[in-house]
């Protein structure tokens, strides 16, 4: 994989203001922060996504070309826009990072990995169906629903007020993890951020 190859960072979520604060939209939150750090603004792309193009990493030879994207399809159709962006920007699958909510990890904890199953996550299921499984994932823990609450209800609810107090810190940490993965590789990012 050549350093010249661009990276595609896909924050997973559902479009529309009514979903903006949902647990399921934490991928969008991290994508928004990465775009802000890159000094860019999201623009509409014909691939049914909003994108920001820029660079991540130290100036000069250490920086990498990066496209940060938020699909405008709903979560369970994320594969279409992701594949269209991959084709448009000519991104190797190994240079694609999906940022998504993860039920099986405590709130705020991160796990980075390459490949693997979708663990019932409809956004990942859609991307894997389109691209195969060999892309990177930044899994952002949201914990399990309390009591008998249905998973679908839990992920489509906003973070609790207690969680919101810490959310900015954890989103910031997830953005750091994405940058480390792109610049220094998966092993360094895992040893620094996996909890």
């Amino acid at each position: 994989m050549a350093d010249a190859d661009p990276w595609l960072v896909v924050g997973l979520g559902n479009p529309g203001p009514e979903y903006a604060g949902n647990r399921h939209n934490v991928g969008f939150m991290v994508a928004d922060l990465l775009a802000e750090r890159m000094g860019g603004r999201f623009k509409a792309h014909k691939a049914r996504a909003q994108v920001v193009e820029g660079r991540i990493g130290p100036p000069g030879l250490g920086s990498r070309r990066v496209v940060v994207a938020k699909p405008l399809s709903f979560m369970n159709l994320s594969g279409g826009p992701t594949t269209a962006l991959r084709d448009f920007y000519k991104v190797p699958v190994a240079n694609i990072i999906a940022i998504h909510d993860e039920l099986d990890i405590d709130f705020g904890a991160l796990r980075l990995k390459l490949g693997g199953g979708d663990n019932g996550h409809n956004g990942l299921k859609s991307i894997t169906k389109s691209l195969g499984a060999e892309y990177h994932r930044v899994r952002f823990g949201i914990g399990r629903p309390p009591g008998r609450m249905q998973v679908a209800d839990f992920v489509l609810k906003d973070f609790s007020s207690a969680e919101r107090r810490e959310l900015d810190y954890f989103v910031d940490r997830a953005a750091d993890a994405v940058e480390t993965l792109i610049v220094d590789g998966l092993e360094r990012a895992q040893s620094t951020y996996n909890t």
Side-chain angles (χ1 to χ4, degrees), residues 35-170:
E36 190 181 308
R37 288 181 179 185
M38 288 164 48
R41 287 178 182 257
F42 281 100
K43 295 181 177 70
H45 191 279
K46 64 182 181 183
R48 288 182 315 155
Q50 292 185 314
V51 300
V52 171
E53 298 177 49
R55 299 190 84 79
I56 286 178
L61 297 175
S63 80
R64 305 281 184 265
R65 275 180 42 222
V66 178
V67 178
V68 177
K70 298 191 295 186
L72 293 175
S73 61
F74 280 89
M75 176 72 85
N76 57 353
L77 299 173
S78 301
T82 302
T83 303
L85 291 168
R86 177 207 60 186
D87 295 346
F88 183 85
Y89 290 104
K90 299 178 176 44
V91 179
V93 173
N95 276 25
I96 295 175
I97 302 169
I99 309 166
H100 64 93
D101 56 305
E102 178 61 61
L103 288 160
D104 289 336
I105 304 174
D106 290 340
F107 169 68
L110 293 176
R111 301 264 169 78
L112 286 75
K113 68 178 193 170
L114 174 62
D118 57 54
N119 203 18
H121 192 289
N122 289 329
L124 295 182
K125 204 174 284 182
S126 177
I127 293 173
T128 298
K129 189 175 172 195
S130 297
L131 296 177
E134 290 307 302
Y135 56 93
H136 289 88
R137 297 100 192 275
V138 174
R139 303 158 72 205
F140 188 111
I142 60 168
R144 302 286 314 171
R148 295 170 181 251
M149 185 188 284
Q150 293 295 311
V151 165
D153 295 334
F154 180 69
V155 299
L156 293 175
K157 281 206 175 347
D158 287 0
F159 286 99
S160 70
S161 55
E163 288 169 336
R164 279 199 302 271
R165 282 196 286 277
E166 297 181 291
L167 186 59
D168 286 349
Y169 168 77
F170 289 130

